[in-house]
Amino acid sequence: MKNVSILFLLIIASFMNVSAQQTVIKVSTNETDLVLKTSPLGRIYQAYFGEKLLNESEIQALSHFIARPSSDGSVTPRGWEVYPASGNEDYFEPAFAIQHNDGNMTSYLYYKSHEVKNIDSNVKETIIRLADDKYPVEVTLHYMSFAKENIIKTWTEIKHNEKKPVNISKYASAMLYFESPAYYLNEYSGDWSKEAQLSTQELKFGKKMIDTKLGSRAAMHAYPFFQIGLGEEVKEDKGKVFVGTIGWTGNFRFTFEVDNVNNLRVISGINPYASTYELKPNEIFTTPEFIFTLSYNGVGKASRDLHAWARNYQLKDGKGDRLTLLNNWEATGPNFNEEILGEWMHEAKKLGVDMFLLDDGWFGNKYPRFDDKRALGDWEPTREKLPNGVQGLVKKAKEAGVKFGLWVEPEMVNPKSELFEKHPDWAIKLPNRETYYYRSQLVLDLSNPQVQDYSFGVVDKILSENPDLAYLKWDCNSPITNIYSPYLKEKQNHLYIDHVRGFYNVIKRVTDKYPHVEIMMCSGGGARCDYEGLKYFSEFWCSDNTDPVDRLYIQWNFSQFFPIKAMAAHVTSWNKAASIKFRTDVAMMCKFGFDISLKEMNADEQKFCTEAVANYNRLKRVILDGNFFRLVSPYDGNHTSVMHVGESKDKAVLFTYDINPLYKEKYYPIKLQGLDPMKKYRIREINLMPGATSRLAENDKVYSGDYLMKIGIDAFTATRLNSRVIELTAE
Ligand code: GLA
């Protein structure tokens, strides 16, 4: 017995010895450490993911989730393996699955080397190379950490050198593990016109999946982002929260699996549904980026970190300005002509916005686009509507003193179009089954390089012929239907992935050639909202639902993940029970525009809107680039409030909305956030209807940031659909 325990101690000691040579890799931000560590067997595990650790020696000694010696002396490789492959000793969902040339479906990945590149003083890239010991398969993990913003993004490259192509059927961007007594998932689901609706559930043993199979966009029924409250439900200002989002404008999948010991495993990546990928020798399969953060002070902090990171590093023209605009879609649909549009341009000028945006309906001659059943693909201006073409409109806008923007949908085709008549094989469509149409259109096959050239050519022609065109609204109204690419033939399993890669090829060529053009990402409302798309698009359309009440929720939810300057919001005539002021005040908290004719407004309303645009222009940098605070949630009662605080804390804008106040309801003061407690701020209510005076008790008074954050201001009212915009200026 004594001998056995001595032997066991010796084994432990030798394990400790080996462990001394274990490689420790730290991916860190200013607040968070993700510690990865090799086991004595040479595979790599997540040793820690949480608040920054202070003692280097303790980091080096971490061993909790790493392969350990068993009582019989052997070392069990089970643990939190960073990129577990199918067929190894872990019985839960793997990140990676491959079938080798000999039919073997397993892979064991061993650590080979790593390097850390300093991209700049704030950004580091850690590259970790893994390889199978029995097959020539290499996996490279990339982690890019943004110290100040507390964000990490990660992606993976897969490569092999077997004789023939191999099949990969799982290829996650990342896998992360958590140990917590409870996990609460915030997921976002919806449909056209009810985008990103929040629901919460506790994750218990087993798997929960969020995925989509829409092909041409990430979202509609499920959204490519989530939050997990660790230990308690997600809260705005307290608690530990993990927030993740995938940058992929196509099918994605998040798998949340609570295992036998109540640990949570989160796998994020492309949805491998119908997409087993055949990888040629030496071809590199690069996964999308998974972007994540941990907050120790609630989800508000995580949002602000994501916003700052996106503006600094990811969002197209993240630090640049944005154009305010007047759009004609809601008022005219496709029924307009040059003269009518000329009037709209003058209205835009009168409003004071930067640009007039012409929406759908300007193209097609053989099949003029008078409804959405024809002409997609025929990008020639309809002569009977626009005898002087787009050039004539750009000129007219110039004369009116505004910029000009144009709607396009270059990834789609209507069967009733000259393009389809000429190239029926350019559409994704089954050769042997009846065709199913979504919005009477088909998706062009962007896995085909010729179609990519066509799609780029459409936009290139418009932009090269009209160098003054300032803006595009780039739409994508149909998911992929009739899943068959005439180009890919027997490799249909590549369609979902190659199509999205084809789309990136097109949009990248456009933005490389025309970097100054602002482009809105739109997809039948807000179905395209992901961080890979936003590398090329400077904003996205949150929803066709512009009812201001619904929008308060939609905007609240998108702001969890995306910066305000990327979220387009327009004043329209949806919900006329709400005043023009309420509708304007709701749109004005985001990237602001109008989609309503001045003719629908009386003189006071017109004057109000003109003043609101002037206020927005004055406060634009604070609203678009400031820190954003969600103060009162619309989910918590009958009111909601948000605020933006400028970088220097000298200026702030507070928005308050009374949605459905109750009779004799007790109101609580709104406690502001993000101000300098030592500064004194003058309070001024703006965006008042002509002739109205502010009834805010604090109006035109001066309070310290300390007072405003600890005591707050009484800005809520008993009036239904009432709103306030309040400017704070440090004196
Ligand atoms: C989509 C967009 C709308 C509008 C129409 C035009 O639905 O979301 O804003 O542009 O297309 O057809």
Side-chain angles (χ1 to χ4, degrees):
M1 187 63 202
K2 202 173 163 201
N3 282 348
V4 174
S5 50
I6 288 173
L7 182 68
F8 182 61
L9 282 177
L10 281 174
I11 291 164
I12 296 280
S14 71
F15 171 74
M16 303 288 279
N17 255 343
V18 189
S19 88
Q21 293 143 23
Q22 285 169 235
T23 305
V24 176
I25 304 169
K26 225 168 65 170
V27 177
S28 301
T29 68
N30 288 347
E31 293 156 62
T32 298
D33 281 331
L34 172 63
V35 182
L36 313 177
K37 195 169 181 183
T38 56
S39 78
L41 298 177
R43 282 158 60 189
I44 185 157
Y45 296 80
Q46 177 185 312
Y48 177 78
F49 178 34
E51 220 163 336
K52 214 165 176 57
L53 295 170
L54 298 180
N55 297 310
E56 202 49 47
S57 58
E58 286 168 352
I59 292 175
Q60 295 298 322
L62 282 168
S63 65
H64 198 48
F65 303 109
I66 300 166
R68 289 155 167 274
S70 304
S71 51
D72 68 358
S74 65
V75 176
T76 160
R78 291 188 66 192
W80 285 6
E81 193 166 12
V82 171
Y83 204 69
S86 182
N88 68 23
E89 319 78 357
D90 188 89
Y91 301 115
F92 295 91
E93 195 66 32
F96 176 52
I98 185 166
Q99 181 161 33
H100 304 283
N101 283 179
D102 63 2
N104 186 325
M105 294 179 77
T106 68
S107 200
Y108 286 29
L109 297 171
Y110 291 84
Y111 166 83
K112 289 291 150 200
S113 66
H114 79 278
E115 62 180 299
V116 180
K117 289 188 193 160
N118 286 322
I119 307 292
D120 62 32
S121 58
N122 188 49
V123 186
K124 275 194 173 70
E125 184 179 356
T126 305
I127 303 168
I128 307 169
R129 295 193 182 80
L130 315 176
D132 195 312
D133 59 336
K134 299 283 188 274
Y135 294 89
V137 174
E138 288 169 33
V139 169
T140 308
L141 310 172
H142 295 256
Y143 295 87
M144 203 173 264
S145 54
F146 300 83
K148 194 161 52 75
E149 294 82 4
N150 191 33
I151 299 290
I152 300 173
K153 73 176 183 181
T154 173
W155 67 98
T156 297
E157 288 171 344
I158 300 159
K159 193 177 136 187
H160 74 94
N161 193 15
E162 299 197 17
K163 293 217 160 42
K164 290 188 292 179
V166 301
N167 285 323
I168 50 174
S169 56
K170 277 184 196 294
Y171 28 76
S173 297
M175 179 154 177
L176 289 163
Y177 301 80
F178 300 86
E179 184 185 46
S180 171
Y183 310 97
Y184 295 90
L185 171 70
N186 272 5
E187 72 173 307
Y188 295 83
S189 60
D191 208 332
W192 176 78
S193 91
K194 54 167 199 174
E195 282 80 351
Q197 306 291 304
L198 168 68
S199 60
T200 301
Q201 59 184 272
E202 188 176 355
L203 297 171
K204 294 283 195 182
F205 176 81
K207 255 182 269 184
K208 154 84 185 171
M209 249 175 218
I210 301 177
D211 68 8
T212 59
K213 307 181 183 74
L214 299 154
S216 60
R217 44 172 65 187
M220 184 153 76
H221 305 129
Y223 286 76
F225 37 75
F226 63 85
Q227 298 150 324
I228 295 177
L230 297 162
E232 58 180 321
E233 283 197 24
V234 171
K235 296 206 176 62
E236 190 66 28
D237 300 317
K238 56 176 192 255
K240 189 170 171 186
V241 189
F242 171 58
V243 180
T245 176
I246 184 106
W248 182 246
T249 317
N251 302 349
F252 69 90
R253 178 183 285 178
F254 299 128
T255 306
F256 306 94
E257 185 168 26
V258 178
D259 66 17
N260 56 325
V261 288
N262 201 45
N263 290 333
L264 172 68
R265 297 141 176 262
V266 180
I267 305 177
S268 310
I270 293 176
N271 184 355
Y273 162 80
S275 299
T276 295
Y277 206 86
E278 193 183 294
L279 198 61
K280 292 195 211 92
N282 287 319
E283 181 185 348
I284 297 175
F285 183 96
T286 306
T287 72
E289 294 170 354
F290 176 64
I291 298 128
F292 61 95
T293 184
L294 266 183
S295 164
Y296 314 98
N297 299 300
V299 82
K301 160 81 167 60
S303 298
R304 284 184 290 283
D305 284 342
L306 276 166
H307 296 179
W309 164 79
R311 289 194 305 262
N312 290 340
Y313 297 102
Q314 188 91 353
L315 173 67
K316 164 94 164 80
D317 208 8
K319 292 188 175 150
D321 199 3
R322 294 290 184 271
L323 298 168
T324 52
L325 59 84
L326 174 64
N327 184 201
N328 65 312
W329 176 248
E330 289 291 332
T332 70
N335 305 310
F336 50 77
N337 58 31
E338 197 177 286
E339 200 191 325
I340 294 173
L341 297 181
E343 288 171 23
W344 277 84
M345 292 167 188
H346 283 107
E347 287 193 4
K349 181 69 188 169
K350 194 167 165 199
L351 257 177
V353 293
D354 301 312
M355 181 184 60
F356 170 69
L357 166 64
L358 172 58
D359 215 284
D360 191 359
W362 58 269
F363 48 91
N365 281 304
K366 182 169 179 189
Y367 304 106
R369 181 116 167 137
F370 280 105
D371 59 36
D372 62 13
K373 295 184 175 43
R374 67 205 74 219
L376 281 177
D378 301 347
W379 296 99
E380 289 299 328
T382 308
R383 280 185 294 275
E384 55 181 300
K385 293 189 199 181
L386 307 172
N388 298 302
V390 174
Q391 275 153 327
L393 293 174
V394 177
K395 188 161 161 266
K396 243 187 163 54
K398 216 175 198 170
E399 284 160 11
V402 288
K403 294 187 175 133
F404 183 69
L406 195 64
W407 181 95
V408 291
E409 194 175 6
E411 301 160 60
M412 301 283 158
V413 65
N414 284 121
K416 217 170 188 182
S417 68
E418 291 182 81
L419 180 71
F420 189 75
E421 285 166 359
K422 209 160 142 204
H423 296 290
D425 57 329
W426 281 8
I428 296 176
K429 183 176 167 306
L430 282 153
N432 55 354
R433 291 184 199 278
E434 205 162 317
T435 305
Y436 164 70
Y437 295 100
Y438 187 98
R439 214 199 193 217
S440 314
Q441 63 196 59
L442 294 171
V443 179
L444 287 173
D445 183 3
L446 291 178
S447 69
N448 181 346
Q450 236 190 323
V451 181
Q452 293 169 22
D453 287 347
Y454 156 81
S455 196
F456 166 74
V458 166
V459 185
D460 187 32
K461 182 163 184 289
I462 295 170
L463 292 177
S464 62
E465 285 176 0
N466 300 286
D468 287 336
L469 213 149
Y471 181 101
L472 292 176
K473 176 177 177 182
W474 182 305
D475 216 330
C476 162
N477 274 302
S478 177
I480 294 182
T481 52
N482 313 285
I483 326 292
Y484 184 88
S485 154
Y487 172 76
L488 289 171
K489 300 201 174 68
E490 71 286 353
K491 282 223 193 112
Q492 295 302 318
N493 43 316
H494 284 200
L495 173 57
Y496 281 128
I497 292 176
D498 288 357
H499 179 82
V500 179
R501 289 178 176 166
F503 163 63
Y504 291 143
N505 180 1
V506 174
I507 188 66
K508 183 168 187 318
R509 283 164 74 186
V510 171
T511 51
D512 281 352
K513 188 159 174 193
Y514 304 99
H516 59 282
V517 179
E518 284 183 31
I519 315 183
M520 176 204 266
M521 174 159 74
C522 176
S523 182
R528 271 186 173 168
C529 46
D530 71 86
Y531 268 122
E532 187 64 22
L534 287 173
K535 283 183 180 168
Y536 308 103
F537 294 87
S538 43
E539 64 190 63
F540 71 97
W541 180 230
C542 298
S543 178
D544 283 345
N545 182 343
T546 45
D547 178 321
V549 176
D550 291 355
R551 267 294 182 132
L552 285 172
Y553 294 85
I554 292 170
Q555 292 170 190
W556 181 271
N557 290 338
F558 276 127
S559 81
Q560 306 286 328
F561 306 92
F562 300 107
I564 291 304
K565 76 190 309 177
M567 292 169 48
H570 297 169
V571 181
T572 73
S573 52
W574 281 52
N575 191 355
K576 282 192 169 158
S579 64
I580 211 70
K581 170 172 163 54
F582 191 84
R583 286 179 262 156
T584 304
D585 290 355
V586 170
M588 202 166 142
M589 75 154 90
C590 291
K591 193 261 163 182
F592 189 37
F594 289 78
D595 192 348
I596 182 172
S597 169
L598 289 183
K599 293 192 191 81
E600 289 186 46
M601 303 179 199
N602 64 30
D604 274 356
E605 290 172 334
Q606 289 188 17
K607 186 156 185 276
F608 166 81
C609 288
T610 312
E611 282 171 11
V613 172
N615 284 333
Y616 190 80
N617 284 337
R618 191 165 45 77
L619 298 167
K620 216 179 189 185
R621 299 317 301 203
V622 178
I623 295 174
L624 294 178
D625 298 314
N627 271 318
F628 182 63
F629 295 87
R630 291 180 296 261
L631 303 176
V632 180
S633 168
Y635 289 97
D636 286 346
N638 309 314
H639 313 265
T640 180
S641 174
V642 299
M643 79 184 284
H644 308 261
V645 182
E647 197 58 44
S648 62
K649 301 190 178 186
D650 282 339
K651 237 328 158 210
V653 191
L654 171 70
F655 291 85
T656 75
Y657 309 92
D658 306 296
I659 304 172
N660 196 11
L662 303 177
Y663 181 63
K664 287 250 179 198
E665 185 183 328
K666 170 156 171 54
Y667 310 117
Y668 296 92
I670 304 168
K671 290 183 182 150
L672 308 194
Q673 290 183 37
L675 300 172
D676 181 339
M678 304 311 284
K679 283 187 177 155
K680 301 267 192 204
Y681 295 90
R682 181 165 298 274
I683 309 288
R684 191 161 70 93
E685 183 172 359
I686 58 170
N687 270 24
L688 292 161
M689 286 302 286
T693 48
S694 172
R695 287 158 70 185
L696 180 73
E698 294 90 345
N699 193 44
D700 214 23
K701 297 193 177 134
V702 175
Y703 299 88
S704 68
D706 183 56
Y707 176 98
L708 293 166
M709 293 193 288
K710 289 180 181 156
I711 296 173
I713 67 177
D714 268 308
F716 287 138
T717 76
T719 312
R720 230 175 148 198
L721 299 183
N722 191 46
S723 56
R724 279 179 163 148
V725 182
I726 297 163
E727 181 177 346
L728 291 93
T729 312
E731 301 210 316

